Amino acid sequence: TIKMAAVERVESLAKSGIKSIPKDYVRPKEELESINDVFQEEKKEEGPQVPTIDLQDIESEDETIREKCTEELRKAAMDWGVMHLINHGIPVDLMERVKKTGEEFFGSPVEVKEKYANDQATGKIQGYGSKLANNASGQLEWQDYFFHLVYPEDKRDLTLWPKTPSDYIEATSEYAKCLRLLATKVFKALSIGLGLEPDRLEREVGGLEELLLQMKINYYPKCPQPELALGVEAHTDVSALTFILHNMVPGLQLFYEGKWVIAKCVPDSIVMHIGDTLEILSNGKYKSILHRGLVNKEKVRVSWAVFCEPPKEKIVLKPLPELVTVESPAKFPPRTFAQHVEHKLFRKEQEELVSEKKS
């Protein structure tokens, strides 16, 4: 058997003392113009800012108060498709435990983490990984990651979860349960925001049995030339919703009204993205915003993203019939989640082939 060459981990590269990054990590010329120092960007006060939504009253007994909260969430979902959630009901000490155990795992030697290595070639996507150069541009991202399914509990494979630190499994499991409850509250409010029955959106994405929560811990090592690289390239999330924790190091950028806007770090908040799945169901009323991750040379950035995804094949995603009218016809063709993901990959390859011909 031919043994696969070991994947170069970005962390090992970063720690090797290189002064310049390998060319596989350097972004194309037109992209470089928009990559700036993340700490300078975060200090900027002018220009649009990612909205902060207070969920304190999302389940208030008082209808007027509840409606005001729902309306703010709906506006942010239609205008930005991303927001900082505060008073989201997830205990801060639990979030801290999740962050602490994730950071401890990533703090262990690379050879320990390699025991959990995934193998994308054989379809084993859960585990420790780095992006392989599988796209036409051959470009790599300045990050390593750990990816695994966290909910529903009967679909998890705990053998793939880190054994150390010892609190990892418990903290992550508890957090996933809390997030699942939060997702329900958000789906309800967003359904009402579209004039639908409160449980409609959640049903459409698979409900408690079928909606999958996939966690990806993104680890962005310090980068000697952060102005040339990206931690994660520009993309929209395919999920229904994505919830993100981070270690208070800035890096998330949103493409809003034709410009890249950095998300400021809001203590104890959870960043929430509307993903493609909800954009499709809402016929484009809710936005799945283009975003990317910057890196820096001073601080390691870590983020914990949980993607709430419908089952791959069981559900056909298409604009809900109530939201399709003569004035606003269906913007998206019917596709399963798997087909949507494929379609995006195919489109990206097409775009890359075109830009390769140009260069």
Side-chain angles (χ1 to χ4, degrees), residues 316-319 332-336 339:
V316 174
L317 298 170
K318 61 177 196 293
F332 308 94
R335 287 192 179 103
T336 62
Q339 286 168 335

Side-chain angles (χ1 to χ4, degrees), residues 2-265:
I2 302 164
K3 184 143 175 32
M4 287 270 297
V7 179
E8 171 87 275
R9 300 301 173 197
V10 179
E11 178 189 356
S12 307
L13 200 55
K15 286 186 171 159
S16 69
I18 54 168
K19 294 284 178 278
S20 58
I21 64 175
K23 67 175 189 339
D24 295 352
Y25 291 91
V26 177
R27 307 309 302 179
K29 195 161 78 257
E30 60 280 7
E31 210 175 6
L32 292 174
E33 292 160 14
S34 68
I35 300 177
N36 297 314
D37 180 293
V38 66
F39 298 111
Q40 296 308 115
E41 291 285 317
E42 207 205 7
K43 288 194 187 92
K44 285 187 184 160
E45 291 301 331
E46 73 284 359
Q49 305 289 341
V50 176
T52 294
I53 303 297
D54 189 337
L55 292 185
Q56 182 90 51
D57 300 322
I58 194 129
E59 294 187 306
S60 168
E61 297 294 308
D62 183 322
E63 197 181 343
T64 320
I65 293 175
R66 190 175 67 241
E67 278 176 3
K68 186 172 175 287
C69 181
T70 301
E71 180 54 24
E72 281 174 18
L73 180 65
R74 184 183 82 102
K75 279 214 301 266
M78 292 176 82
D79 182 22
W80 280 82
V82 65
M83 61 211 76
H84 302 282
L85 301 179
I86 57 170
N87 294 318
H88 40 65
I90 297 186
V92 171
D93 64 333
L94 177 60
M95 291 170 21
E96 291 307 321
R97 277 170 65 201
V98 168
K99 295 201 276 192
K100 185 167 178 280
T101 57
E103 285 181 333
E104 278 182 32
F105 172 75
F106 270 98
S108 58
V110 170
E111 43 286 5
V112 173
K113 291 181 289 226
E114 286 297 351
K115 296 189 178 120
Y116 297 93
N118 64 5
D119 183 5
Q120 290 176 324
T122 62
K124 186 184 155 216
I125 57 170
Q126 297 192 73
Y128 175 63
S130 308
K131 182 171 175 182
L132 304 174
N134 55 357
N135 51 11
S137 69
Q139 273 177 314
L140 296 169
E141 295 163 323
W142 197 261
Q143 63 148 292
D144 299 322
Y145 63 80
F146 197 96
F147 180 81
H148 59 94
L149 183 142
V150 293
Y151 198 92
E153 295 189 339
D154 61 351
K155 294 190 168 76
R156 304 178 309 184
D157 182 352
L158 291 177
T159 64
L160 304 170
W161 294 33
K163 307 288 175 284
T164 49
S166 55
D167 191 34
Y168 183 94
I169 291 177
E170 200 180 318
T172 305
S173 301
E174 188 55 36
Y175 177 62
K177 275 201 285 220
C178 291
L179 264 192
R180 190 61 190 83
L181 293 168
L182 176 59
T184 292
K185 290 179 201 175
V186 171
F187 283 132
K188 266 194 185 135
L190 291 174
S191 284
I192 293 164
L194 293 170
L196 304 167
E197 289 294 310
D199 66 341
R200 181 69 184 279
L201 283 178
E202 184 159 19
R203 264 209 334 268
E204 295 286 346
V205 294
L208 279 172
E209 279 70 46
E210 298 289 345
L211 184 73
L212 305 174
L213 271 57
Q214 313 266 17
M215 180 184 269
K216 185 170 180 239
I217 308 175
N218 299 302
Y219 184 83
Y220 305 101
K222 295 176 197 175
C223 180
Q225 294 177 297
E227 68 290 346
L228 298 182
L230 285 174
V232 59
E233 58 190 20
H235 66 287
T236 61
D237 288 359
V238 291
S239 60
L241 295 170
T242 305
F243 295 99
I244 305 168
L245 296 178
H246 54 76
N247 66 338
M248 293 297 285
V249 175
L252 172 64
Q253 264 194 332
L254 299 309
F255 195 66
Y256 182 75
E257 294 185 341
K259 287 200 175 63
W260 285 107
V261 177
I262 197 94
K264 293 197 168 26
C265 294

